[in-house]
Amino acid sequence: MSILHTVNKSPFERNTLMDCLARAKDGAAVLLIEDGVYGALAGTQASDAIAKRGAIKFYALGPDLDARGLAEKPLIDGITLIDYSGFVDLAEAHNPVQSWL
Amino acid sequence: MKFGILVNEGPFTHQASDSAYHFTKAALEKGHEIVRVFFYHDGVNNANKLSEPQSDDRNLVGMWSALAEEHGVELIVCVAAALRRGIKDELLAAGFTISGLGQLVEAGIIGDRLITFGD
């Protein structure tokens, strides 16, 4: 079973998204939550790092994008929006769940 | 599936306590079991019954207590982290219990997953 990584800080505030991507293996899943959802936006300095990792499945928590007024912003291609129920499903489907804090 | 939840941050820092609460609630609604929610480091501030947010702010302490009452979720507060911050037995909101770090280890052993929320 592959790992679910969660990243909860903006890539413009901390290096946790880059640290996560440097260690995540192909086939893993990365879920962006809280301020981590800023990493899902298209056209930023951090976008390429996600866009070029095609073998990793990326998710972002919709309620957290919405809470930041980002719900209508264009996201990086291939990012799937989920809610808390989807978060639970991801945690069930992957093992372990690694939180990058 | 059995989930253990670890909360390492208080309700008024970033969003970790909210995320932990909403994950826990969603898991319960889907029929999963929450083995335990363990409050560690500043997370122990989630248990302070003297916390009184403004009426238009969410009240996480009360929300955790309600979850414990409705679903029987075990809310464990780390004793060392709590005493260090002045959180004592008489300050605990309904549903919270002070115990040791062994409870966190056990949640990791019993649970199928341990999900960490914090800073």
Side-chain angles (χ1 to χ4, degrees):
Chain A
M1 212 176 255
S2 61
I3 298 183
L4 171 64
H5 301 268
T6 70
V7 177
N8 76 340
K9 290 292 182 290
S10 163
F12 312 110
E13 179 195 352
R14 291 193 201 178
N15 274 327
T16 44
L17 175 62
M18 299 311 163
D19 289 342
C20 165
L21 293 177
R23 287 162 181 81
K25 296 195 165 118
D26 288 352
V30 175
L31 169 61
L32 305 171
I33 65 169
E34 303 175 17
D35 280 347
V37 297
Y38 285 102
L41 300 177
T44 74
Q45 285 182 331
S47 303
D48 272 358
I50 286 183
K52 70 183 183 193
R53 292 299 299 269
I56 293 178
K57 191 83 192 91
F58 288 94
Y59 302 86
L61 199 62
D64 285 351
L65 277 164
D66 204 13
R68 288 160 180 78
L70 303 174
E72 307 298 324
K73 296 273 185 187
L75 302 183
I76 300 163
D77 282 346
I79 294 189
T80 306
L81 284 188
I82 59 167
D83 57 8
Y84 283 100
S85 170
F87 185 176
V88 173
D89 291 342
L90 278 181
E92 189 181 8
H94 295 81
N95 192 28
V97 180
Q98 170 65 43
S99 306
W100 294 82
L101 306 172
Chain B
M1 175 162 282
K2 295 177 179 175
F3 286 105
I5 308 291
L6 172 61
V7 184
N8 288 338
E9 189 180 81
F12 304 107
T13 314
H14 299 99
Q15 201 189 337
S17 303
D18 296 87
S19 298
Y21 172 82
H22 289 296
F23 181 93
T24 302
K25 200 160 183 289
L28 289 167
E29 281 166 5
K30 294 180 83 77
H32 295 296
E33 182 188 337
I34 301 295
V35 174
R36 179 171 297 143
V37 184
F38 190 87
F39 297 89
Y40 196 24
H41 303 290
D42 273 356
V44 300
N45 290 317
N46 280 279
N48 188 347
K49 75 172 177 189
L50 298 183
S51 168
E52 215 172 296
Q54 288 171 290
S55 59
D56 59 349
D57 189 5
R58 85 277 189 264
N59 182 343
L60 266 168
V61 178
M63 286 154 69
W64 285 119
S65 289
L67 213 56
E69 192 178 335
E70 286 164 32
H71 299 277
V73 176
E74 198 177 318
L75 308 175
I76 300 294
V77 180
C78 170
V79 60
L83 291 181
R84 195 177 270 153
R85 292 166 179 83
I87 309 283
K88 305 194 174 191
D89 262 329
E90 57 267 36
L91 237 62
L92 290 184
F96 289 90
T97 311
I98 288 186
S99 191
L101 211 45
Q103 300 285 314
L104 170 60
V105 176
E106 198 193 54
I109 294 170
I110 299 173
D112 299 305
R113 307 279 186 278
L114 180 68
I115 320 281
T116 304
F117 296 91
D119 179 26

